[in-house]
Amino acid sequence: MKKDYSALSFSEKERVCESIFIANGPYWHIYTDGTMMQNIFCCEEDFATGMWALAASLHLSKKVRALTFELMTNHFHLILAGQREECIKAFELFATRLRQAFPKRQRAIDWSKFKMDILPIESLQALRNEIIYANRNAFVANPEYTPDSYPWGGGCAYFNPWLKHVKTSPLGNMKVNDQRRLLHTRDVAPFSELLEVSGIPFIPSFCDIRLGESIFRDARSYFNSLTRNAEAFSQIASRLKDTIFLTDEELYSVICSHINKEYSVKTPTLLSAQQKIDTARHMHFHYNATNQQLRRMLRMDLSILEELFP
């Protein structure tokens, strides 16, 4: 008799996750540099266009599976399983479909700067961290969202029991002209099996959410990882050259932990002037803390911070 998964021990669950990781790799993090690219997605209609371009591209890329993704205003993240060359082809198809869609949106975009980088993900824990990092991206950048409420990324589908109650419809059920309008292509036949919800692609129909979820022991371990792994986020941000990867609340918690360890004080107000400078340096270089964040949390004069970090 097969043992109930929920009854497995911690180590048994880890072995299951490890076997799934090994069986479905290799894995890659594809991303673009938002500091080099102008804003692409400026309104809901833009984001919907990007979602359809991504859904169509992944639907056609049969040799790769997306575990999660995040469309941001000027960049995106995509966690893929598959051979490197096939993953690159999937991105190139996505970029091509975006270029085809956006000239019709009456805004000039310099697509020469929309270039990808691809990084390997070589361990189970690294894959967990990369999925979490991608699913947190909008949450870190915009206080209006949580990691599971942002509609333009895979995070809202992770461990979400409401998905099975969402009324979906095959894209092929729509009128052909409506399909062409959404996909920005005349040949809509290959996409008839994609599912849509109110004119938006249904994420699990083009993103393998189940595989992504199976990388974690359970929903609780996934949830706990969303806000409790600052060191891992720091390492990933360094690899991706991201600027901000912690919210103010998370950064303040890291600061308090650091100063308690270094100076045996519990709040930044108890630091001396030199200790504040040393703490600011640590937070700037290890956690990409901005001058404004440091000003607010350490109560330092902005002119001092601008001298330290011009």
Side-chain angles (χ1 to χ4, degrees):
M1 183 177 177
K2 188 176 180 180
K3 192 173 182 180
D4 179 14
Y5 181 81
S6 63
L8 298 180
S9 67
F10 179 94
S11 59
E12 288 172 330
K13 288 182 178 181
E14 277 293 285
R15 283 195 292 271
V16 171
C17 293
E18 187 69 40
S19 65
I20 293 171
F21 171 82
I22 293 171
N24 290 279
Y27 305 91
W28 310 89
H29 189 156
I30 288 180
Y31 64 99
T32 60
D33 186 351
T35 64
M36 300 294 293
M37 189 69 191
Q38 70 193 88
N39 287 352
I40 307 169
F41 310 111
C42 300
C43 62
E44 287 195 7
E45 192 174 354
D46 289 346
F47 275 105
T49 298
M51 289 280 283
W52 280 112
L54 182 61
S57 302
L58 292 173
H59 184 72
L60 293 175
S61 303
K62 303 300 185 183
K63 295 183 179 181
V64 304
R65 284 183 288 174
L67 279 69
T68 196
F69 68 96
E70 199 95 339
L71 296 184
M72 301 292 289
T73 303
N74 58 8
H75 70 284
F76 91 112
H77 295 271
L78 182 60
I79 310 298
L80 293 178
Q83 295 303 314
R84 186 177 188 274
E85 296 76 12
E86 297 298 331
C87 293
I88 292 173
K89 287 179 183 178
F91 167 81
E92 291 174 344
L93 184 57
F94 171 54
T96 297
R97 298 190 74 90
L98 276 182
R99 287 194 294 269
Q100 292 172 344
F102 271 82
K104 303 171 185 178
R105 303 193 49 72
Q106 301 179 349
R107 179 158 49 87
I109 296 176
D110 182 2
W111 290 105
S112 66
K113 296 180 180 179
F114 191 68
K115 297 178 179 179
M116 56 145 271
D117 284 295
I118 182 168
L119 295 173
I121 306 172
E122 298 175 335
S123 70
L124 173 62
Q125 189 56 50
L127 180 56
R128 288 170 174 165
N129 292 339
E130 300 279 351
I131 291 172
I132 291 289
Y133 189 91
N135 288 352
R136 281 171 43 92
N137 213 241
F139 157 71
V140 172
N142 191 331
E144 298 299 316
Y145 295 105
T146 69
D148 60 0
S149 70
Y150 187 65
W152 315 116
C156 62
Y158 267 64
F159 298 101
N160 186 346
W162 283 100
L163 286 180
K164 61 187 178 183
H165 301 294
V166 173
K167 186 177 180 180
T168 63
S169 176
L171 186 62
N173 288 359
M174 299 178 71
K175 294 180 180 179
V176 171
N177 284 342
D178 290 335
Q179 295 180 53
R180 289 172 174 169
R181 175 179 54 82
L182 294 174
L183 292 167
H184 295 278
T185 184
R186 290 194 61 80
D187 183 15
V188 296
F191 311 106
S192 61
E193 295 180 3
L194 275 175
L195 300 180
E196 62 89 18
V197 180
S198 301
I200 303 297
F202 184 56
I203 291 171
S205 72
F206 67 90
C207 187
D208 197 339
I209 299 299
R210 284 191 176 182
L211 175 57
E213 290 176 342
S214 70
I215 295 300
F216 298 87
R217 290 185 300 277
D218 46 42
R220 179 187 294 167
S221 69
Y222 169 80
F223 181 80
N224 285 339
S225 298
L226 283 170
T227 56
R228 297 186 180 182
N229 211 348
E231 291 297 333
F233 302 151
S234 172
Q235 293 169 12
I236 296 172
S238 178
R239 289 210 310 164
L240 274 55
K241 299 180 176 62
D242 265 359
T243 52
I244 300 175
F245 56 90
L246 295 178
T247 65
D248 280 7
E249 292 80 5
E250 291 170 336
L251 186 63
Y252 185 77
S253 178
V254 171
I255 287 174
C256 290
S257 177
H258 173 74
I259 63 177
N260 185 44
K261 179 180 177 181
E262 293 294 319
Y263 310 115
S264 298
V265 299
K266 294 184 177 180
T267 65
T269 56
L270 300 176
L271 295 173
S272 67
Q274 185 58 51
Q275 288 172 340
K276 286 185 178 182
I277 290 174
D278 292 341
T279 300
R281 286 197 175 101
H282 181 80
M283 293 300 129
H284 174 83
F285 291 113
H286 288 84
Y287 296 95
N288 288 7
T290 67
N291 287 350
Q292 288 293 347
Q293 284 180 315
L294 294 172
R295 177 189 64 80
R296 292 192 297 269
M297 296 177 198
L298 296 176
R299 297 186 181 180
M300 294 179 66
D301 191 285
L302 185 59
S303 63
I304 296 175
L305 291 166
E306 289 177 342
E307 287 185 15
L308 290 171
F309 319 114

